[in-house]
Amino acid sequence: MSEAADRVIVALDFEEAASAFRLVDTLGTDARHYKVGLQLLTAEGPAVVRRLVEQGKRVFLDLKLHEIPNSVAGAVTAAGRLGVSMVTVHASAGSAVLRAAVEAARPFAGLQVLALTVITSLRDADLREIGVEGGVRDQVLRLAGLAVAAGCHGVVASPQEVALLREALPPGSLIVTPGTQLQGDGAHDHARVATPLEAVRDGASHVVIGRSIYRAADPLAAWRRACDEVAEGLGGGY
Ligand code: C5P
């Protein structure tokens, strides 16, 4: 259970710290991995992250950085000082940016740089609109290749690309997968969804789950179900 629990990252997509910490309290000490994104960070500032770290939680700080290398390096350093475990950079920012992020993370033991490939709400037609003709799968593979070559610890990708990536990436690469929902939940705004079980069976190292947990009638039960699914899907040993 404990190994599976660490692979379930609960997204704290809230407007206020109070709601976020109510969920953290509800899930209890076994739930150790949380994602803080732009909404909560912008609303409440880095104090939220410090408080989670003080409580012994691992924090995935989803900054989705896309900036010049110097600015990205500065943000990654700031994230490292906060004590977070994972930080995200858009792979489409290019190799120089990815390398700058990896270099900036180096002094912080345990800080992992994840590259975002293609956000899960995008389909082939959306990519064409911005001038990318190859389609989602090609683009995900291309960007994941850049990320690994730049020294990133892993990638963020939708469940639909996990199997492809697990084959393409070096062993031990992290594949963190949003766009997973517990069975029975209607698709929210993810264009490419799967259950945590499917994602982990395909090779995801971690799943990110928000609404399926925090909007559940019983969030703790939903979190436990997610952990059970991840435990069942493990076996591959990623
Ligand atoms: O859908 P859910 O509430 O589980 O979303 C959890 C996280 O997944 C969000 O914080 C967001 O960063 C990510 N997400 C995504 N693409 C979407 C919707 C959510 O990457 N279309």
Side-chain angles (χ1 to χ4, degrees):
M1 177 71 164
S2 152
E3 200 204 335
D6 284 341
R7 291 165 186 266
V8 174
I9 305 175
V10 181
L12 294 175
D13 292 332
F14 293 104
E15 283 173 17
E16 302 171 343
S19 315
F21 283 99
R22 251 195 311 278
L23 179 68
V24 171
D25 287 348
T26 301
L27 298 184
T29 49
D30 288 344
R32 284 186 296 266
H33 215 162
Y34 288 93
K35 179 168 92 77
V36 173
L38 298 175
Q39 181 186 20
L40 187 60
L41 185 71
T42 307
E44 295 279 8
V48 173
V49 175
R50 287 197 193 95
R51 190 165 150 196
L52 285 165
V53 170
E54 275 163 24
Q55 291 188 10
K57 307 301 185 190
R58 286 170 60 84
V59 178
F60 169 6
L61 191 58
D62 197 10
L63 293 178
K64 294 186 161 71
L65 298 168
H66 194 145
E67 249 281 17
I68 60 167
N70 188 54
S71 301
V72 165
V76 170
T77 300
R81 289 190 181 134
L82 282 175
V84 310
S85 305
M86 293 171 168
V87 66
T88 46
V89 183
H90 275 283
S92 54
S95 294
V97 167
L98 294 169
R99 282 195 302 270
V102 169
E103 274 313 306
R106 225 181 276 288
F108 302 97
L111 176 57
Q112 294 170 313
V113 175
L114 300 176
L116 284 171
T117 55
V118 176
I119 57 173
T120 62
S121 54
L122 293 182
R123 298 183 170 90
D124 289 354
D126 303 309
L127 288 184
R128 275 199 298 280
E129 189 183 59
I130 56 166
V132 176
E133 295 297 337
V136 170
R137 287 168 75 92
D138 280 5
Q139 186 67 357
V140 167
L141 272 185
R142 172 197 303 271
L143 293 176
L146 276 190
V148 164
C152 292
H153 300 86
V155 299
V156 179
S158 98
Q160 268 59 51
E161 285 85 43
V162 169
L164 189 72
L165 286 169
R166 186 47 77 196
E167 242 175 66
L169 296 183
S173 303
L174 301 181
I175 304 178
V176 178
T177 308
T180 60
Q181 281 168 19
L182 292 170
Q183 208 118 49
D185 253 10
H188 302 300
D189 56 358
H190 299 283
R192 314 193 297 282
V193 285
T195 64
L197 173 61
E198 289 162 342
V200 172
R201 267 201 189 139
D202 280 351
S205 59
H206 298 77
V207 293
V208 178
I209 309 179
R211 288 165 287 188
S212 269
I213 290 177
Y214 66 72
R215 285 202 189 149
D218 183 345
L220 180 57
W223 176 79
R224 286 195 176 126
R225 256 175 67 206
C227 294
D228 287 345
E229 282 198 26
V230 167
E232 191 185 336
L234 278 174
Y238 300 111

